[in-house]
Amino acid sequence: MCGIVAYIGPKDATPFLLEGLARLEYRGYDSAGVAVAGRTGGIKVRKVKGRVADLAAAVPVRFKGGTGIGHTRWATHGVPSDANAHPHQDNAERIAVVHNGIIENADELRARLTAEGAVFRSETDTEVLAHLIAAHATEGVELEEAVRAALGKVVGTYGIAVLDAEQPDRIVVARNGSPIVLGIGEKEMFAASDVSALVRYTRQVVHLEDGELATVRADGFRTFTEDARTTHRQPSTVDWEIDSYDTGGYEHFLLKEIHEQPGSVERTLSGRLDERFATAHLGGLNLDARELREIRRVKILGCGSAYYAGEMGAQLIEELARIPAHSEPASEFRYRNPVIEADTLYIAVSQSGETYDTLAAVQEVKRKGGRVLGVVNTVGSAIARECDGGIYLHAGPEISVASTKAFTSTVIAFALLALHFGRIHDLSPADGRRIVAALKALPDQIREVLAQSDAIAGLAAEYADSEGMMFIGRVRGYPVAREGAQKLKEISYVHAEAYPASELKHGPLALISPELPTVALVPDDELLDKNLTTLGEIKARSGRVLAVAHRAPEAKLADHCILVPKSEPELDPLLLNIPLQLLAYHAAVALKRDVDKPRNLAKSVTVE
């Protein structure tokens, strides 16, 4: 969601701050701002409602200083406005703060600070932090001590960076539920809420843990806890390339990432297929075969597309390993006081590894003694560190808000896990070889689907003006329908609903009309005849049908058809999903939407 960047060193901070914020635009935001500690004293602040480009235009030429912080805001407390944009300052304009997260006791703190003479200039919870830190920054008190004392009175989540006009030789950052990453340079240091802001400048990073702070100076950093105990963080190396953060000649990041899927699938599979024993190598699980045989149930937790990928993963696990598996929204999980079973394996799914609802679900499972694996894309992320083991996707950075290649790689990871589970249980070597061969064939089959992009663009233009769309699929196809509907509504703003095809006649059939087309998933499997019967029911009511199929239905059953290559039945959903990504993308382009940054949404949701 919101983005943080910070710089301290011999150079001018402003160019880095503006570029870093531009690299965080994909997270979703409505305003932006920067603050620098000038070399002649004082803190200069510029902030605007709007885009980073608007901020850059508002920053004066002589806006210079070697220590600075910046922010992109996604409104939670207060409407998008210049006043509510970060950074926020105290009344003396000595302290400047940028903040991701939510201060839950902000109203209480605001009342107390107002009674003590503080004058608030915004509606935000963040401004409370600036006044609270300033109240503790009395004469002779180090900035880190003032920050630590202030945070001791705060209830909520935060990732913050703090600047002090009287101590411009340092920046203090802190984390609790919202990511902060330090970047180590040559006689300069960086900090950000996401490594994408740092990779052009350094590959050496340090991830803060929850409840941890850092004092960052040009020549290094010191980490410590909220009770002042020193911690020791070792840097890790970021292996993502800077080119991953450019569009590479594509019109949008989303289109680029859709077309990157053959390569991202190959990376997810790389080194993990064992043809000799017809299984998968997954050493990161930290579970041996005996422990895996004791698992009696699998529970998958994710939000949005991660949840739908979990539904596809649950079906794979049940089909290949014959272990009961279920996916549910992580955002609801801990609020229903879940029963945590000793023989259940919990799997947390998150592209960023920082999704707050999913992280909280992981912590709930661990608090009750459960075992949790992570399926994440970002090495060193909070969920990856919190879990007992897991699978890294290696899909590469995903910049567009809508997930495509990370979604596909997540399902691939579940296919590998299901294969591994299955071969430990009762999946035969012949079936194992069948799945291994099908997984190896997927990248080229995805390329076949992507070659139809122009044709799908034509279909998207024809359907984009619809009042809404219905997506249907049976059994393996239903999670694909849900993900397809999600993609269409989040980037094109066309209302879309997904239903099991078998449920159409139990209510949704009343909606069918020429104005409400249906996207139907029609794989060539054991349910083909039933799916064709459903298409007949829709056509009998003058509904339009766009079929995604292995072979085209009769003309009387579908107005249009997108053909995809046939895989094994268990893996067909992966290929059926790719055309739906392209359909959503081209519909959004036809409707002139902001494809990479859809309204009201953010890439990594680090608040509840």
Side-chain angles (χ1 to χ4, degrees):
M1 295 184 53
C2 307
I4 288 174
V5 292
Y7 172 85
I8 185 166
K11 302 172 187 172
D12 218 7
T14 305
F16 166 77
L17 298 177
L18 293 173
E19 182 184 336
L21 292 179
R23 292 193 179 278
L24 295 180
E25 286 190 292
Y26 72 93
R27 295 171 70 94
Y29 71 106
D30 48 57
S31 58
V34 292
V36 298
R39 292 186 171 91
T40 57
I43 293 177
K44 304 172 186 177
V45 174
R46 286 292 185 279
K47 51 186 186 175
V48 300
K49 174 188 174 183
R51 297 298 188 187
V52 173
D54 301 319
L55 173 64
V59 171
V61 174
R62 298 185 63 80
F63 196 83
K64 297 184 182 298
T67 307
I69 57 178
H71 192 264
T72 51
R73 175 181 185 257
W74 191 79
T76 54
H77 290 69
V79 299
S81 68
D82 290 358
N84 287 333
H86 298 209
H88 288 286
Q89 291 184 277
D90 65 306
N91 294 145
E93 299 186 346
R94 172 185 169 182
I95 302 294
V97 179
V98 294
H99 164 231
N100 294 348
I102 292 177
I103 306 303
E104 295 174 11
N105 62 337
D107 290 344
E108 173 191 333
L109 293 171
R110 179 187 286 259
R112 185 188 310 167
L113 289 162
T114 300
E116 294 171 359
V119 177
F120 283 80
R121 292 169 283 191
S122 78
E123 304 167 271
T124 69
D125 56 336
T126 299
E127 191 181 351
V128 166
L129 290 172
H131 292 289
L132 196 58
I133 293 167
H136 288 280
T138 54
E139 186 175 352
V141 175
E142 300 285 312
L143 177 60
E144 45 266 64
E145 292 309 308
V147 173
R148 195 171 61 79
L151 292 179
K153 298 179 179 178
V154 165
V155 177
T157 60
Y158 51 80
I160 63 170
V162 185
L163 204 58
D164 183 352
E166 296 187 10
Q167 300 176 57
D169 62 337
R170 72 198 70 182
I171 298 170
V172 174
V173 297
R175 169 194 174 126
N176 185 50
S178 193
I180 292 291
V181 184
L182 309 183
I184 303 170
E186 288 289 332
K187 297 182 180 178
E188 59 184 357
M189 287 286 296
F190 311 87
S193 53
D194 190 306
V195 295
S196 61
L198 306 178
V199 290
R200 181 176 175 182
Y201 299 91
T202 180
R203 297 296 182 87
Q204 296 297 301
V205 300
V206 173
H207 295 266
L208 294 191
E209 300 280 358
D210 280 349
E212 196 168 30
L213 301 85
T215 299
V216 182
R217 301 174 187 264
D219 58 357
F221 67 96
R222 179 176 72 87
T223 58
F224 51 97
T225 64
E226 291 179 1
D227 58 2
R229 289 182 294 105
T230 297
T231 58
H232 301 281
R233 291 276 161 248
Q234 294 301 314
S236 59
T237 302
V238 177
D239 59 2
W240 290 348
E241 299 294 330
I242 187 64
D243 291 349
S244 301
Y245 298 94
D246 296 320
T247 56
Y250 289 91
E251 187 175 356
H252 299 98
F253 277 109
L254 183 59
L255 185 61
K256 177 192 177 192
E257 288 158 9
I258 290 171
H259 281 272
E260 285 177 337
Q261 287 177 112
S264 60
V265 167
E266 287 169 344
R267 287 195 299 275
T268 305
L269 292 172
S270 180
R272 287 170 166 166
L273 291 176
D274 182 345
E275 296 188 69
R276 179 184 177 191
F277 293 106
T279 188
H281 287 302
L282 296 172
L285 299 183
N286 299 327
L287 290 166
D288 61 29
R290 187 182 300 275
E291 291 173 302
L292 286 171
R293 285 193 66 85
E294 294 172 354
I295 299 298
R296 292 290 174 265
R297 189 180 305 277
V298 176
K299 176 79 72 176
I300 302 169
L301 306 169
C303 298
S305 289
Y307 163 46
Y308 301 138
E311 288 193 313
M312 293 170 70
Q315 291 201 3
L316 281 161
I317 291 167
E318 288 204 343
E319 285 197 82
L320 297 179
R322 305 305 298 156
I323 300 171
H326 176 69
S327 177
E328 72 170 280
S331 52
E332 296 289 319
F333 178 73
R334 76 186 192 280
Y335 291 113
R336 61 177 184 78
N337 191 21
V339 176
I340 305 301
E341 300 168 304
D343 57 0
T344 296
L345 179 65
Y346 298 85
I347 303 176
V349 184
S350 169
Q351 186 282 137
S352 67
E354 302 287 353
T355 308
Y356 184 77
D357 286 315
T358 308
L359 177 60
V362 170
Q363 292 168 340
E364 176 73 2
V365 173
K366 293 196 71 177
R367 185 181 68 81
K368 293 183 174 181
R371 186 191 295 269
V372 193
L373 299 182
V375 176
V376 301
N377 193 37
T378 307
V379 176
S381 57
I383 292 172
R385 297 196 307 274
E386 190 83 30
C387 289
D388 301 298
I391 304 171
Y392 280 122
L393 302 180
H394 302 301
E398 192 174 64
I399 306 303
S400 184
V401 166
S403 181
T404 51
K405 67 178 182 178
F407 176 88
T408 299
S409 285
T410 298
V411 180
I412 292 288
F414 276 118
L416 291 168
L417 182 63
L419 175 62
H420 184 60
F421 261 125
R423 292 291 290 122
I424 287 171
H425 286 78
D426 299 320
L427 189 71
S428 70
D431 276 331
R433 285 191 292 271
R434 176 175 63 85
I435 298 300
V436 167
L439 286 168
K440 290 177 65 177
L442 282 174
D444 285 338
Q445 291 179 311
I446 293 172
R447 291 183 181 98
E448 288 184 49
V449 179
L450 295 175
Q452 301 180 61
S453 181
D454 290 345
I456 294 172
L459 292 173
E462 184 166 338
Y463 284 92
D465 289 330
S466 302
E467 65 180 28
M469 294 186 78
M470 189 92 75
F471 286 72
I472 61 171
R474 282 179 181 263
V475 188
R476 302 184 192 100
Y478 177 50
V480 182
R482 298 189 76 181
E483 170 61 11
Q486 168 99 342
K487 280 292 160 289
L488 185 68
K489 58 191 165 191
E490 69 182 334
I491 62 171
S492 74
Y493 318 149
V494 173
H495 180 71
E497 291 294 335
Y499 286 94
S502 55
E503 283 291 298
L504 206 61
K505 58 185 173 293
H506 295 294
L509 202 59
L511 298 174
I512 296 300
S513 72
E515 289 73 39
L516 185 75
T518 298
V519 177
L521 299 160
V522 192
D524 188 5
D525 60 12
E526 69 277 10
L527 295 172
L528 176 60
D529 289 342
K530 293 186 180 298
N531 277 319
L532 294 177
T533 298
T534 300
L535 299 191
E537 293 172 348
I538 296 170
K539 294 304 295 179
R541 290 155 179 84
S542 302
R544 288 190 294 160
V545 173
L546 170 57
V548 180
H550 294 130
R551 49 192 173 102
E554 296 178 48
K556 67 180 181 181
L557 296 179
D559 298 273
H560 300 95
C561 183
I562 302 170
L563 294 177
V564 300
K566 184 82 175 74
S567 181
E568 294 297 331
E570 299 91 341
L571 299 176
D572 280 334
L574 269 163
L575 293 169
L576 293 168
N577 181 60
I578 306 298
L580 303 188
Q581 296 175 348
L582 288 167
L583 183 71
Y585 170 77
H586 288 299
V589 171
L591 294 168
K592 296 180 169 53
R593 308 305 192 205
D594 190 346
V595 174
D596 288 326
K597 297 183 283 292
R599 67 188 184 197
N600 305 331
L601 300 179
K603 182 66 175 174
S604 178
V605 183
T606 54
V607 297
E608 290 192 81

